[in-house]
Amino acid sequence: MLTNNIILPPQTIGIIGGGQLGRMMAIAAKYMGYQVAVLDPTPNCPTAQVSDQQIIAAYDDMNAIQQLSEISDVITYEFENVDLNAALYLEEQGKLPQGAYALEVTQNREKEKQLMKDLQLPIPAFHIVQLEKECEEALKGITFPAVMKTCRGGYDGKGQLKLYSKEDIQAATNFVKQHKYCILEEWITFDKEISVLFTRSQSGMIEFFPIAENEHKDHILYQTTAPANVTDVVQKKAYESAKMIADKMNIVGTFAIEMFVKGEEIFINEMAPRPHNSGHYTIEACNISQFAQHIRAICGLPLIPIEQLKPAMMVNILGEDMDDVLQSMTKTPQGFIHLYGKGEAKAKRKMGHITYIGNTTEQHMRQFEEAKQ
């Protein structure tokens, strides 16, 4: 339990993780008048550039975690692979309103899928395999194509192997031999992927952002469009499923759930207990961003009812795009460019994003095409 449910400016918000999500949390917090401290092993990381102080240490350094607790009135995190011992310690100190449970579940694909199964939510069929023999047995009862994933870690397509036919069985057993603890899932042929983002307060109030539609390239989110082109039936199912998960996990803060849509059906894929790449459009397109709403939730402030002001499209800027983006800034007024302050522009590394807004979806698509040219 929190010792003080209401955190007001200029009290200090601590953030574990110094990447772009922490940076945008910090910016939202600074606008509201809060002090911000960040714990990250990289000096002058993106979050530190817009914060008041940085603790330079590993995420599982308990001395650093204790130091962050001492200087912060409330603490949040920008990624789910936070050390669980650290999270439990901060929860005991009354500093982590999001709690450790959401991390425990979302760090582990088995626990994630089991929670959804217990709630009787629509998910792909799955098997947990830890031995090569278990993998061989599981593959006998699954239809190809299928996908093998590590139960822990993995993002942007890392830690995954698609299996197209029985010819890939050897590759699957090798994957299990290498990673030990894996999940074998049915491959869902879907029409589109959507993200359901919401923010839930400490009292259980929940506010949903408009559902977003995602497009990936090379397993990395390339483009998000909001609102998504989905039916009322799909929207109702998506929101109801998300609320069941939120209430079951007692979520506090902004939370994202990726789902597959097939006709009028949905299949829940993965969850993130934090603001999400597919919610960046909310900064310009909504009356409150996913980051500002998150800050309000963890600080015990009432949530703001969400409105989408304009249709939007967000495009990620990867390392290989940086030169073109910088050149385009001198030639076109289209798009809101966010650069994350990362030192080196590596291929496939997320360096920033651009959001286009318009009165219609067609209008922001035209803006995007103009900017590309």
Side-chain angles (χ1 to χ4, degrees):
M1 293 290 292
L2 284 178
T3 55
N4 177 12
N5 282 329
I6 307 296
I7 308 299
L8 293 173
Q11 288 178 278
T12 299
I13 298 171
I15 302 175
I16 301 174
Q20 62 263 26
L21 297 177
R23 179 187 181 93
M24 287 181 272
M25 284 183 199
I27 290 170
K30 294 300 292 178
Y31 268 122
M32 295 172 70
Y34 290 100
Q35 299 285 299
V36 177
V38 58
L39 188 158
D40 192 276
T42 304
N44 197 40
C45 59
T47 307
Q49 294 166 17
V50 294
S51 298
D52 297 282
Q53 51 187 318
Q54 178 183 7
I55 299 170
I56 301 171
Y59 302 126
D60 60 355
D61 183 330
M62 286 307 298
N63 289 328
I65 291 291
Q66 290 170 14
Q67 185 184 348
L68 183 68
S69 179
E70 288 169 4
I71 64 175
S72 303
D73 298 288
V74 68
I75 293 173
T76 186
Y77 45 79
E78 66 131 24
F79 62 101
E80 52 268 40
N81 291 318
V82 174
D83 181 75
L84 273 183
N85 290 328
L88 288 166
Y89 169 80
L90 294 171
E91 188 174 16
E92 289 168 3
Q93 299 300 306
K95 298 288 180 74
L96 191 73
Q98 292 160 274
Y101 180 62
L103 290 170
E104 180 185 344
V105 171
T106 54
Q107 284 178 7
N108 186 309
R109 285 191 170 101
E110 179 181 9
K111 292 183 178 181
E112 195 173 67
K113 284 290 191 288
Q114 192 58 53
L115 181 139
M116 296 176 197
K117 188 176 180 181
D118 292 344
L119 290 172
Q120 298 183 321
L121 294 173
I123 56 174
F126 71 95
H127 304 271
I128 302 300
V129 293
Q130 301 188 59
L131 301 171
E132 294 168 73
K133 196 70 178 173
E134 289 176 337
C135 181
E136 291 171 3
E137 286 300 313
L139 285 165
K140 290 177 183 177
I142 201 160
T143 304
F144 290 96
V147 62
M148 184 79 74
K149 302 177 183 177
T150 55
C151 278
R152 292 183 178 276
Y155 64 96
D156 288 346
K158 298 176 177 68
Q160 296 188 21
L161 175 68
K162 187 175 180 182
L163 311 173
Y164 295 90
S165 68
K166 290 183 178 180
E167 293 178 2
D168 294 320
I169 289 176
Q170 186 60 55
T173 55
N174 290 341
F175 188 89
V176 173
K177 185 177 180 180
Q178 178 186 355
H179 297 286
K180 309 300 182 190
Y181 182 26
C182 303
I183 183 168
L184 175 65
E185 288 184 27
E186 170 191 14
W187 183 270
I188 299 295
T189 303
F190 55 90
D191 301 324
K192 60 187 67 178
E193 182 194 280
I194 59 172
S195 289
V196 178
L197 279 95
F198 61 84
T199 307
R200 188 174 183 270
S201 70
Q202 295 174 35
S203 65
M205 176 186 176
I206 189 166
E207 284 287 339
F208 286 99
F209 290 95
I211 294 175
E213 185 173 330
N214 299 325
E215 181 184 330
H216 290 79
K217 286 186 179 180
D218 300 324
H219 303 288
I220 300 172
L221 181 63
Y222 167 65
Q223 179 179 309
T224 294
T225 305
N229 182 19
V230 295
T231 65
D232 291 343
V233 171
V234 167
Q235 179 172 289
K236 184 171 184 290
K237 287 180 178 179
Y239 283 151
E240 286 177 349
S241 297
K243 188 175 189 309
M244 289 175 68
I245 290 170
D247 291 340
K248 176 71 173 178
M249 296 178 70
N250 196 26
I251 295 303
V252 173
T254 296
F255 194 94
I257 306 174
E258 294 176 338
M259 304 181 186
F260 299 134
V261 177
K262 185 177 182 179
E264 298 278 69
E265 295 180 272
I266 62 166
F267 295 88
I268 298 169
N269 183 29
E270 293 180 341
M271 308 188 293
R274 50 166 173 78
H276 193 261
N277 194 172
S278 60
H280 293 346
Y281 78 90
T282 60
I283 296 171
E284 282 87 21
C286 294
N287 62 325
I288 185 166
S289 74
Q290 62 167 342
F291 302 101
Q293 196 82 298
H294 179 74
I295 296 300
R296 296 185 69 86
I298 65 168
C299 291
L301 303 178
L303 302 183
I304 293 177
I306 294 166
E307 298 176 36
Q308 183 165 1
L309 307 175
K310 297 219 176 202
M313 180 174 70
M314 186 281 303
V315 181
N316 271 329
I317 301 170
L318 302 182
E320 58 269 32
D321 304 323
M322 278 295 292
D323 288 344
D324 289 341
V325 169
L326 294 174
Q327 288 183 38
S328 75
M329 289 177 71
T330 67
K331 298 174 183 176
T332 175
Q334 307 295 1
F336 295 87
I337 297 177
H338 297 251
L339 298 177
Y340 301 148
K342 295 182 179 180
E344 188 178 354
K346 299 177 183 177
K348 306 304 177 189
R349 187 185 195 191
K350 292 173 185 172
M351 302 299 294
H353 71 268
I354 308 175
T355 301
Y356 300 91
I357 61 173
N359 293 318
T360 64
T361 299
E362 292 73 20
Q363 186 176 349
H364 59 61
M365 284 296 293
R366 282 198 303 272
Q367 292 175 4
F368 177 45
E369 291 303 321
E370 178 185 322
K372 280 201 300 185
Q373 291 168 11

